[in-house]
Amino acid sequence: MVTKDTLSGLVVYLPKEELLIEFKKLMFPQGNKGGKKEMNLRRPSCKKNENFSNRYFEVCKRDMIEYFNISGCYFPRPLTMAIWEIMQIFFDAEMKKMKVVKNWDFPLFVPPGVLEKENEHIEGFAPEVGWVTKSIKSDLEVPIATRPTSETVLYTYFSKWVKGYRDLPLKLYQWCNADRWECNNPTPFIRSREFLWQEGHFAFATKAEADEELLQILELFRRIYEEFLAVPVVKGWKSEHEKFAGGLYTTSVEIFIPNTGRGVQGATSNCLGQNFAKTYEINYVDEKGETATVWQNSWTYSTRTIGVMIMIHGDDKGLILPPKVAPLQVVVIAVPCKNANIQRIYDACTATVSALCEAGIRAEEDLRDEYTPGWKYSDWEMKGVPLRIEIGPRDLENDQVRTVRRDNGVKEDIPRGSLVENVKELLEKIQQNMYEVAKQKREACVQEVKTWDEFIKAFNEKKFILAPWCDEVEVERDVQARTKGETGAAKTLCSPLDQPELPEGTLCFASGKPAKKWTYWGRSY
Amino acid sequence: MVTKDTLSGLVVYLPKEELLIEFKKLMFPQGNKGGKKEMNLRRPSCKKNENFSNRYFEVCKRDMIEYFNISGCYFPRPLTMAIWEIMQIFFDAEMKKMKVVKNWDFPLFVPPGVLEKENEHIEGFAPEVGWVTKSIKSDLEVPIATRPTSETVLYTYFSKWVKGYRDLPLKLYQWCNADRWECNNPTPFIRSREFLWQEGHFAFATKAEADEELLQILELFRRIYEEFLAVPVVKGWKSEHEKFAGGLYTTSVEIFIPNTGRGVQGATSNCLGQNFAKTYEINYVDEKGETATVWQNSWTYSTRTIGVMIMIHGDDKGLILPPKVAPLQVVVIAVPCKNANIQRIYDACTATVSALCEAGIRAEEDLRDEYTPGWKYSDWEMKGVPLRIEIGPRDLENDQVRTVRRDNGVKEDIPRGSLVENVKELLEKIQQNMYEVAKQKREACVQEVKTWDEFIKAFNEKKFILAPWCDEVEVERDVQARTKGETGAAKTLCSPLDQPELPEGTLCFASGKPAKKWTYWGRSY
């Protein structure tokens, strides 16, 4: 039995029973008849490179979410929730190492006046806040906000919980739902009215501690994307214009979607400085008996992670799930043929699944006799299961199984004697390959520019643009104004923590002033 | 290391590390100075038998929840969440056995028209529904409800997910927050605007299956209360008047609070019949190829469980937590005295905690030197920790520790050589004793009546009244009208599944018609 302790670095962990999911039951309604016509209906209607956006919606809708008739609202289906849970288990374990306390459930409703107390913050969030104004037929005296994020409601309490230096650091986080009402271009996972996320809130005695832990959290976000979702990211600082409303500075992991030429802010880790602490009076008595004000961080990642994964990895057939987050890692399909001993094949499938599950690999057999093997191949391919195993009469004879990789279609016969080791190895390879392929695609989009003309050319070619910049808010606003168009204006995505060399005398591509840093620019989601 | 597999029947399981909680950090702000004055401030200001309601609010507020300034809103503190999580782990394991799928996250927002579709249901819930009507300054075209419960939004999808007989039974549940806006007498845990709960939704091919599984769920609710929270319940049917709005019949576990003479509906398991299924068109093709309609159950328990536990078990000092749900089961306190080797005592405390934790007992030492032992005793007593261990110089000499039970104050010296076995035994005894004491108190309140006069007398004495009843809605309404008063009218609490014998010819206490069943009556929360 594989336990959660074997988390780190391994593809294989978390037996499927822990997810409380029965794939055969919930991946598809069984009332379906099968057949070519139905399969065609279920396939994405367009190719990834032709109509990326439509295809994304289709894939999400078929396997990952349910739509409902409130604009911008979706809710996750079991496949999504199982992926989310796998990431949660990783993250909870890391939080434990950092001594962060999870046992909180902050309120959904924000009391009157609390959200508005921090000016910059409410300016940034106001357009996205929903307000409950009535119950039954009576109007509430004062509208109550549903949380867009919990800083304001929580920090009212921080001032109560932090009294002396021994109360610091105070490190809390929770998993919950949050709401954003004003949605431009609602997109499943990426931008929706209700979403699931984790939010963390830290208070420290010193800025140095805040600076340090912020980067530790950012590193966890990198690991979620790169190690689990096989999605390459850039760690960086957000510009003054793009930082968290009311904070001191914001770091993020940024992803670039080659097909649309847009950046996505993957997750953010914010240093709030002492701005909120001053507003909400979060003070403490230090070692010398003097009153001091805390330094704060807040940080979050959401189900957006899953949307990004779908965008990066899918192909014309549908989803491709990285093995590490795939709730079902291996599907075993019986390939009977006339005159063969069908029961023997079925038994071999079941034995194969047992052996894999025993080793902690999440595997399931598909023995439905109302579908042809070919139909089942397509069905599971669409659902993104990383590895398929086929077992037919010839495999029985040769004491082998046939493996088919979802990421590159490569087929390989492996002896049943070394089944587990070979499957583990294949899953590791798939995970690694998915990351490498994604990284190569992204690298092919990076364009270094130094002048405005080069910038405009790269922007029109939808590149992931790296440019020397003077780091001035006015210049960013000016670039936005000058590039405004139907497909969105150019904005800063992030300034990478890992800065390329900036030779003295390098000028800003946009203002001609001395450049202060390299910054990624582009369109964004 | 004790694992979750040892759940059943044992007091001892779930190592405290799993709860991601550091008690010393979060149970109290450490800025506090201690001292008698502060302790007095923290103690409940009134005795349990004198002002039960005030005392309940005080205990909740000090250790279990945070208030905030929206009437009827509270949010749970880590101690509450840790108890909730312990119950979740039990319940998730039971759901797995029943093959219920957890990986769902139903939406918070209910689309326009969906809630209203089922007439009886919306009539029952309308007074409690909150409506989001605006975002920023613009009003929404149609108000959007926040979920009071998920039947209506979910069953719209059941009709999509259920196509053929092989899709049945469909069994889903989730953990989430829910909202009820119109609150009479908001009371922490018992009645609040936002609360945490679990909700389950089943669809079956036959009524027989629905009837059977409903009782299986009810049995789990009984176990949560009786085995975990040490709270005795009565399993029963709700009356037609009190059943779930829109359902066919409702079963519940009912608790009686002796101090206030009120019943509390602990949790409900509802048979919805085919009412919702017809409204939302949840049909399927059966084995014969004919179209049929499903039978449905829905059921839920909420953080109300924790409020009931506080009401039943607290004493004048504060909380008493049953060992099985106590996040901290044993606190070990050093009792140094002048001239003693303090470090040796501290080492013995740490070694004791290690030995207990090793055995899966949730223990922690309190070595704070800014407080006296007596102050710490009071502090942990208020927090309800079931067992205290004291270690002083004399204990070291005799190679023993002193144990003090929270439930009855009994002190006992136990040899260090049999520490673990003795502590386990003590925890089991405490759990058992708390249940027995609570049951005796309840039994003392039960009053069997046969006539209206007996009924009124018992009602005025705040008894848990068991009476033969004709089971007619009109009669229940009539009893309510006739008993209306400042402290609430009489209503049915439940008709126990385990019915006492009802001799032929027994008449209803209220109407004088032939009685059909024994039913509990009283005031309720």
Side-chain angles (χ1 to χ4, degrees):
Chain A
M1 198 63 169
V2 175
T3 71
K4 288 178 202 167
D5 295 326
T6 58
L7 261 181
S8 58
L10 272 179
V11 166
V12 179
Y13 70 94
L14 190 66
K16 74 188 168 98
E17 301 85 50
E18 297 239 348
L19 298 172
L20 303 189
I21 185 167
E22 273 190 287
F23 286 93
K24 273 172 292 194
K25 191 91 201 184
L26 272 167
M27 296 282 278
F28 36 78
Q30 303 216 345
N32 291 333
K33 281 276 166 56
K36 205 168 177 181
K37 200 171 152 193
E38 193 198 310
M39 183 53 73
N40 284 338
L41 275 176
R42 301 173 76 190
R43 282 211 178 94
S45 70
C46 40
K47 290 189 191 298
K48 185 167 179 180
N49 292 329
E50 285 168 9
N51 193 334
F52 182 82
S53 168
N54 268 8
R55 184 200 140 279
Y56 176 74
F57 275 83
E58 281 183 4
V59 168
C60 286
K61 198 173 166 180
R62 202 191 47 225
D63 293 310
M64 307 294 285
I65 55 158
E66 289 286 355
Y67 270 67
F68 63 112
N69 58 343
I70 299 176
S71 153
C73 281
Y74 322 92
F75 68 99
R77 295 181 60 181
L79 184 56
T80 299
M81 289 303 287
I83 293 170
W84 186 237
E85 230 171 80
I86 290 169
M87 293 193 287
Q88 283 183 313
I89 288 167
F90 160 74
F91 205 79
D92 279 345
E94 292 297 321
M95 290 293 96
K96 204 167 121 182
K97 289 183 205 162
M98 287 179 76
K99 293 182 183 274
V100 187
V101 177
K102 183 190 67 171
N103 285 71
W104 283 98
D105 179 68
F106 315 136
L108 173 65
F109 298 112
V110 185
V114 168
L115 196 61
E116 297 88 334
K117 205 166 174 183
E118 212 303 301
N119 289 331
E120 270 184 60
H121 184 73
I122 185 64
E123 263 179 44
F125 276 100
E128 303 182 52
V129 177
W131 297 90
V132 178
T133 65
K134 61 175 198 168
S135 66
I136 189 170
K137 283 152 205 163
S138 72
D139 293 343
L140 303 189
E141 272 178 44
V142 188
I144 306 288
T146 56
R147 66 175 155 227
T149 177
S150 298
E151 276 79 2
T152 57
V153 63
L154 193 56
Y155 298 166
T156 311
Y157 293 92
F158 267 43
S159 66
K160 181 180 163 185
W161 299 331
V162 176
K163 298 287 186 197
Y165 65 93
R166 280 178 295 200
D167 298 324
L168 296 175
L170 182 63
K171 304 201 272 188
L172 315 178
Y173 79 115
Q174 72 168 358
W175 299 98
C176 67
N177 53 353
D179 307 313
R180 303 278 167 92
W181 275 84
E182 185 79 358
C183 286
N184 293 325
N185 303 318
T187 306
F189 296 113
I190 304 295
R191 205 173 285 277
S192 65
R193 288 216 163 142
E194 184 189 8
F195 53 90
L196 295 177
W197 73 354
Q198 151 274 114
E199 52 176 326
H201 299 274
F202 286 4
F204 301 98
T206 63
K207 181 166 186 297
E209 287 170 277
D211 289 340
E212 190 190 329
E213 297 235 353
L214 166 135
L215 290 180
Q216 286 178 24
I217 296 293
L218 195 68
E219 171 63 8
L220 291 180
F221 293 159
R222 183 197 68 75
R223 291 182 61 194
I224 287 279
Y225 275 105
E226 298 200 334
E227 292 180 11
F228 282 75
L229 302 168
V231 169
V233 301
V234 174
K235 286 200 226 176
W237 294 283
K238 300 301 279 188
S239 70
E240 189 62 21
H241 188 59
E242 294 288 335
K243 74 177 186 186
F244 181 77
L248 183 62
Y249 69 91
T250 290
T251 62
S252 73
V253 288
E254 296 284 326
I255 298 97
F256 189 77
I257 309 293
N259 299 73
T260 57
R262 285 178 193 275
V264 187
Q265 178 176 291
T268 55
S269 182
N270 307 301
C271 180
L272 304 178
Q274 297 186 304
N275 190 26
F276 285 86
K278 282 175 185 161
T279 306
Y280 295 90
E281 298 173 23
I282 313 172
N283 302 315
Y284 68 99
V285 178
D286 68 14
E287 278 98 332
K288 294 172 205 147
E290 283 161 20
T291 299
T293 302
V294 302
W295 292 84
Q296 291 180 280
N297 290 349
S298 76
W299 38 271
T300 178
Y301 81 87
S302 75
T303 38
R304 171 177 282 197
T305 44
I306 295 170
V308 168
M309 175 199 73
I310 299 169
M311 286 188 172
I312 291 287
H313 294 307
D315 63 10
D316 292 344
K317 291 176 181 170
L319 285 171
I320 307 180
L321 297 177
K324 203 155 172 174
V325 292
L328 187 60
Q329 295 171 320
V330 181
V331 63
V332 178
I333 297 177
V335 190
C337 64
K338 268 185 189 169
N339 307 324
N341 183 334
I342 292 178
Q343 193 54 51
R344 268 191 67 214
I345 293 176
Y346 282 4
D347 290 347
C349 288
T350 305
T352 302
V353 166
S354 296
L356 294 174
C357 286
E358 191 76 13
I361 296 163
R362 299 187 289 272
E364 207 158 276
E365 71 266 42
D366 182 352
L367 306 181
R368 293 174 289 171
D369 55 13
E370 65 269 38
Y371 303 112
T372 64
W375 199 93
K376 293 186 207 172
Y377 299 166
S378 297
D379 199 32
W380 292 108
E381 276 172 359
M382 281 194 299
K383 289 172 177 59
V385 176
L387 192 69
R388 178 171 84 229
I389 289 183
E390 306 169 3
I391 304 182
R394 215 173 49 95
D395 298 304
L396 281 192
E397 247 170 59
N398 300 336
D399 204 24
Q400 66 182 31
V401 300
R402 163 153 291 191
T403 60
V404 186
R405 284 171 62 163
R406 176 66 182 92
D407 62 328
N408 60 12
V410 169
K411 295 174 183 183
E412 193 185 339
D413 293 329
I414 59 175
R416 287 177 70 184
S418 58
L419 173 81
V420 168
E421 306 89 274
N422 283 332
V423 167
K424 279 191 178 178
E425 202 178 293
L426 276 168
L427 291 174
E428 296 276 2
K429 275 187 190 164
I430 294 169
Q431 182 81 28
Q432 193 58 32
N433 182 54
M434 287 179 73
Y435 175 76
E436 293 299 339
V437 168
K439 192 159 182 189
Q440 280 161 22
K441 280 190 191 155
R442 185 191 70 182
E443 293 311 307
C445 295
V446 174
Q447 180 78 54
E448 206 179 292
V449 307
K450 295 213 170 148
T451 66
W452 181 255
D453 287 348
E454 284 173 8
F455 177 81
I456 288 298
K457 181 167 178 291
F459 183 67
N460 289 335
E461 288 168 356
K462 299 188 175 175
K463 294 292 189 183
F464 191 29
I465 307 170
L466 187 61
W469 179 41
C470 61
D471 197 12
E472 289 179 14
V473 173
E474 280 316 307
V475 174
E476 180 169 3
R477 289 216 182 93
D478 184 53
V479 172
Q480 275 192 352
R482 288 161 75 188
T483 54
K484 216 170 183 175
E486 264 179 33
T487 54
K491 56 193 273 192
T492 56
L493 300 172
C494 73
S495 303
L497 298 195
D498 187 11
Q499 283 277 317
E501 206 199 325
L502 187 70
E504 208 163 323
T506 306
L507 301 180
C508 168
F509 77 99
S511 67
K513 296 180 189 177
K516 289 194 183 140
K517 51 171 69 157
W518 288 95
T519 299
Y520 281 104
W521 294 74
R523 290 172 187 81
S524 90
Y525 273 93
Chain B
M1 198 63 170
V2 174
T3 71
K4 287 178 202 167
D5 294 326
T6 58
L7 262 181
S8 57
L10 272 179
V11 166
V12 178
Y13 72 94
L14 190 67
K16 75 186 165 98
E17 301 84 48
E18 296 240 348
L19 298 172
L20 302 190
I21 186 168
E22 272 190 285
F23 286 92
K24 273 173 290 194
K25 191 90 202 182
L26 271 168
M27 296 282 278
F28 36 78
Q30 301 216 346
N32 291 335
K33 281 274 166 57
K36 205 167 179 184
K37 199 171 154 193
E38 193 196 311
M39 183 54 71
N40 284 337
L41 275 176
R42 300 172 77 191
R43 282 210 180 95
S45 68
C46 39
K47 291 190 190 297
K48 185 167 178 178
N49 291 330
E50 287 169 8
N51 192 334
F52 182 82
S53 168
N54 268 9
R55 184 200 142 277
Y56 176 74
F57 274 84
E58 280 183 4
V59 168
C60 286
K61 198 173 166 181
R62 202 190 47 224
D63 292 310
M64 306 295 285
I65 55 158
E66 289 286 354
Y67 270 67
F68 64 113
N69 59 343
I70 300 176
S71 152
C73 281
Y74 321 93
F75 67 100
R77 295 181 59 182
L79 184 56
T80 300
M81 289 303 286
I83 294 171
W84 187 237
E85 230 170 82
I86 290 170
M87 294 192 286
Q88 283 183 314
I89 288 167
F90 160 74
F91 206 79
D92 279 346
E94 292 298 320
M95 289 294 97
K96 202 167 121 182
K97 289 183 203 160
M98 289 180 73
K99 292 183 185 278
V100 187
V101 177
K102 183 189 67 171
N103 286 71
W104 283 98
D105 179 69
F106 315 137
L108 171 66
F109 299 112
V110 185
V114 168
L115 196 61
E116 297 89 335
K117 206 166 174 183
E118 213 303 300
N119 288 331
E120 271 185 58
H121 183 72
I122 184 64
E123 263 178 44
F125 277 100
E128 303 183 51
V129 177
W131 298 91
V132 177
T133 65
K134 60 176 198 169
S135 65
I136 190 171
K137 283 151 206 164
S138 71
D139 294 342
L140 303 188
E141 272 178 42
V142 187
I144 306 289
T146 56
R147 66 174 155 228
T149 177
S150 299
E151 277 79 3
T152 57
V153 62
L154 194 55
Y155 298 165
T156 311
Y157 293 91
F158 267 43
S159 65
K160 181 181 162 186
W161 300 332
V162 176
K163 298 288 186 197
Y165 65 91
R166 279 179 295 201
D167 298 325
L168 295 173
L170 181 63
K171 304 201 271 188
L172 315 179
Y173 79 115
Q174 70 167 359
W175 300 99
C176 66
N177 52 354
D179 307 312
R180 302 278 167 91
W181 275 85
E182 186 79 358
C183 286
N184 293 326
N185 303 319
T187 306
F189 296 114
I190 304 295
R191 205 173 284 278
S192 65
R193 290 218 161 140
E194 184 187 9
F195 54 89
L196 295 177
W197 73 353
Q198 150 276 113
E199 53 176 326
H201 299 274
F202 286 3
F204 300 98
T206 64
K207 180 166 185 297
E209 287 170 277
D211 289 339
E212 189 191 329
E213 297 235 350
L214 167 136
L215 290 180
Q216 285 179 25
I217 296 292
L218 195 67
E219 171 62 9
L220 291 180
F221 292 159
R222 184 197 66 77
R223 291 182 61 193
I224 286 277
Y225 275 104
E226 299 200 334
E227 293 181 12
F228 282 76
L229 301 169
V231 168
V233 300
V234 175
K235 286 199 227 177
W237 294 282
K238 300 301 279 188
S239 70
E240 189 63 20
H241 187 58
E242 294 289 334
K243 73 176 187 185
F244 181 78
L248 183 62
Y249 68 91
T250 290
T251 62
S252 73
V253 288
E254 296 284 327
I255 298 97
F256 188 76
I257 310 292
N259 300 72
T260 57
R262 284 176 193 276
V264 186
Q265 178 176 293
T268 55
S269 181
N270 308 300
C271 180
L272 304 179
Q274 296 186 306
N275 190 26
F276 285 86
K278 281 174 184 161
T279 306
Y280 295 90
E281 297 172 23
I282 314 174
N283 302 314
Y284 68 100
V285 178
D286 68 13
E287 278 98 332
K288 296 173 203 148
E290 282 161 21
T291 298
T293 301
V294 302
W295 292 83
Q296 290 180 279
N297 290 349
S298 75
W299 37 271
T300 178
Y301 80 87
S302 75
T303 39
R304 170 177 281 199
T305 44
I306 295 171
V308 169
M309 176 198 74
I310 299 170
M311 286 189 173
I312 291 287
H313 294 306
D315 63 9
D316 292 344
K317 290 177 182 169
L319 286 170
I320 307 180
L321 298 177
K324 205 155 170 172
V325 292
L328 186 60
Q329 295 170 319
V330 181
V331 64
V332 178
I333 296 177
V335 190
C337 63
K338 267 186 190 166
N339 307 325
N341 184 334
I342 292 178
Q343 193 53 50
R344 267 191 68 213
I345 294 174
Y346 282 4
D347 290 348
C349 289
T350 305
T352 302
V353 166
S354 296
L356 294 173
C357 286
E358 192 75 14
I361 296 163
R362 300 187 288 273
E364 209 158 274
E365 70 267 41
D366 182 352
L367 306 181
R368 292 174 291 170
D369 54 15
E370 66 270 36
Y371 302 112
T372 64
W375 199 93
K376 292 186 207 175
Y377 298 166
S378 298
D379 200 33
W380 291 109
E381 275 173 359
M382 281 195 298
K383 289 172 178 60
V385 176
L387 193 68
R388 178 172 83 228
I389 288 183
E390 306 167 2
I391 303 181
R394 215 171 51 93
D395 299 304
L396 280 192
E397 249 170 58
N398 299 337
D399 204 24
Q400 67 181 32
V401 300
R402 163 151 291 190
T403 60
V404 185
R405 283 171 62 163
R406 176 66 181 92
D407 61 329
N408 60 10
V410 168
K411 294 176 185 184
E412 193 185 337
D413 293 328
I414 58 174
R416 288 177 70 185
S418 58
L419 174 80
V420 167
E421 305 89 274
N422 283 331
V423 167
K424 278 190 179 180
E425 203 178 293
L426 277 169
L427 292 174
E428 296 276 2
K429 276 188 191 164
I430 295 169
Q431 181 83 27
Q432 194 58 33
N433 182 55
M434 288 178 73
Y435 175 77
E436 293 300 339
V437 168
K439 194 162 181 187
Q440 281 162 22
K441 281 190 191 158
R442 186 192 70 183
E443 293 311 308
C445 295
V446 174
Q447 180 76 53
E448 206 178 291
V449 308
K450 294 211 170 149
T451 66
W452 180 256
D453 288 347
E454 284 172 9
F455 178 81
I456 287 297
K457 180 168 179 288
F459 183 67
N460 289 335
E461 288 167 357
K462 298 188 175 178
K463 294 289 188 185
F464 191 29
I465 307 169
L466 187 60
W469 179 42
C470 62
D471 198 12
E472 289 179 14
V473 173
E474 281 316 306
V475 174
E476 180 169 5
R477 288 216 184 94
D478 185 51
V479 172
Q480 275 191 354
R482 289 161 73 188
T483 54
K484 216 168 182 176
E486 263 180 36
T487 53
K491 55 193 274 192
T492 57
L493 300 172
C494 73
S495 303
L497 298 195
D498 187 11
Q499 284 276 318
E501 206 199 324
L502 187 69
E504 209 161 324
T506 306
L507 301 179
C508 169
F509 76 99
S511 67
K513 296 180 190 177
K516 290 195 182 137
K517 52 170 70 154
W518 289 95
T519 299
Y520 281 104
W521 294 75
R523 290 172 186 82
S524 89
Y525 273 92

